[in-house]
Amino acid sequence: MVDKIKILVVDDEETLCEALRFNLEAEGYEVDVALSAEDALTLDLSVYSLILLDVMMGEISGTQLAAILKKRESTMNIPVIFCTAKDSEEDMVAGLDMGADDYITKPYSIRNVLARVRSVLRRAGGGERQGRHASVLEYGSLRVSQEEKTCQIDGKEVRMPRKEFEILTLFLGNRGRIFSRAELLKRVWPEEVVVLDRVVDVNITRLRSKLGDYSKHIVTRPGYGYGFIE
């Protein structure tokens, strides 16, 4: 028997939590609910395949909880979807910039949430492998393992959120090719997700900041896009 995918919903609105639980369970997922970030932190979060997270909660906000998750070895690769009433471009970019896999603004339809959940889980589970099919991509002392989801430079691990890792994997697997923003949005973010062009720029900037001398190989071609040039 195949284990069900486990999802955690963290939101201080109990009625909303139960509505999400009911509909997600109807889709075949196993769902737990936490009514605060504090309650969520009492759980073994490493068992979940996805966390739906409200931003504005009690003493510990959703963004603070997400930051905690991304720092822990056992939870840093768990996809996070923010569900929040904070809908400004700045809020969205900030959420995605800190490693969130999607950002859904309230009020939202359950149908939309389910579509986003399917998309994020599909990508988190592997889906279509990007770039070349080699499980390890290397350039000099830069080494990316697609199986282990790790990046190393000179044997030292370089930690990065999922989206930055996927961009780097795409670039290394297609060295010499320039990708437009539209292509990057289509390949790195699910098609169902509406993502601002600026989010691509933010992730590229953050990726460069982590690659040391290799950052010079991630080039910008004004009017065309980005790529990894040897």
Side-chain angles (χ1 to χ4, degrees):
M1 181 176 177
V2 179
D3 292 336
K4 289 185 178 181
I5 293 172
K6 297 189 71 172
I7 297 175
L8 176 64
V9 178
V10 186
D11 198 305
D12 57 7
E13 296 182 52
E14 186 171 0
T15 302
L16 183 56
C17 283
E18 291 307 318
L20 286 171
R21 188 210 295 265
F22 175 82
N23 285 278
L24 288 166
E25 288 181 343
E27 291 287 306
Y29 304 114
E30 183 177 340
V31 182
D32 290 329
V33 166
L35 298 179
S36 68
E38 290 86 346
D39 287 345
L41 288 170
T42 67
L43 304 173
D44 179 5
L45 298 175
S46 66
V47 304
Y48 297 102
S49 298
L50 174 67
I51 298 176
L52 291 170
L53 183 57
D54 184 27
V55 172
M56 295 182 290
M57 292 187 286
E59 292 187 12
I60 301 178
S61 70
T63 51
Q64 289 173 314
L65 176 57
I68 293 171
L69 295 174
K70 294 303 178 183
K71 289 178 181 177
R72 289 183 176 179
E73 192 74 31
S74 62
T75 58
M76 63 185 300
N77 292 318
I78 298 175
V80 171
I81 298 179
F82 280 136
C83 300
T84 176
K86 300 181 72 174
D87 60 356
S88 72
E89 178 181 343
E90 290 74 18
D91 291 326
M92 186 178 298
V93 170
L96 294 168
D97 189 31
M98 69 181 300
D101 293 80
D102 201 353
Y103 194 105
I104 307 174
T105 57
K106 299 177 180 179
Y108 48 69
S109 70
I110 293 296
R111 183 180 179 185
N112 181 32
V113 174
L114 295 177
R116 304 293 185 98
V117 166
R118 287 192 297 268
S119 296
V120 171
L121 286 173
R122 184 167 60 246
R123 294 189 63 81
E128 183 178 352
R129 195 178 293 275
Q130 299 170 351
R132 298 173 188 170
H133 294 278
S135 61
V136 176
L137 299 169
E138 295 181 295
Y139 182 78
S141 64
L142 174 61
R143 182 181 187 276
V144 172
S145 171
Q146 298 185 78
E147 297 297 330
E148 299 174 356
K149 309 300 182 189
T150 58
C151 171
Q152 294 181 337
I153 296 178
D154 296 324
K156 296 181 180 180
E157 184 171 357
V158 180
R159 294 189 178 185
M160 57 186 64
R162 181 184 302 272
K163 297 307 179 185
E164 293 172 24
F165 181 84
E166 291 182 357
I167 291 171
L168 179 59
T169 300
L170 180 63
F171 283 176
L172 279 179
N174 296 273
R175 294 197 290 272
R177 177 179 173 183
I178 299 297
F179 292 89
S180 68
R181 285 187 181 88
E183 286 180 293
L184 290 172
L185 288 172
K186 184 176 181 179
R187 287 175 176 255
V188 178
W189 282 265
E191 292 184 2
E192 295 90 341
V193 179
V194 178
V195 182
L196 301 171
D197 285 355
R198 182 182 168 193
V199 174
V200 175
D201 302 335
V202 168
N203 278 272
I204 294 290
T205 298
R206 291 182 64 86
L207 178 59
R208 281 181 176 139
S209 72
K210 297 175 182 178
L211 294 181
D213 290 341
Y214 291 100
S215 63
K216 64 186 178 184
H217 295 285
I218 297 182
V219 302
T220 303
R221 294 286 186 258
Y224 294 96
Y226 300 99
F228 192 101
I229 304 299
E230 299 182 41

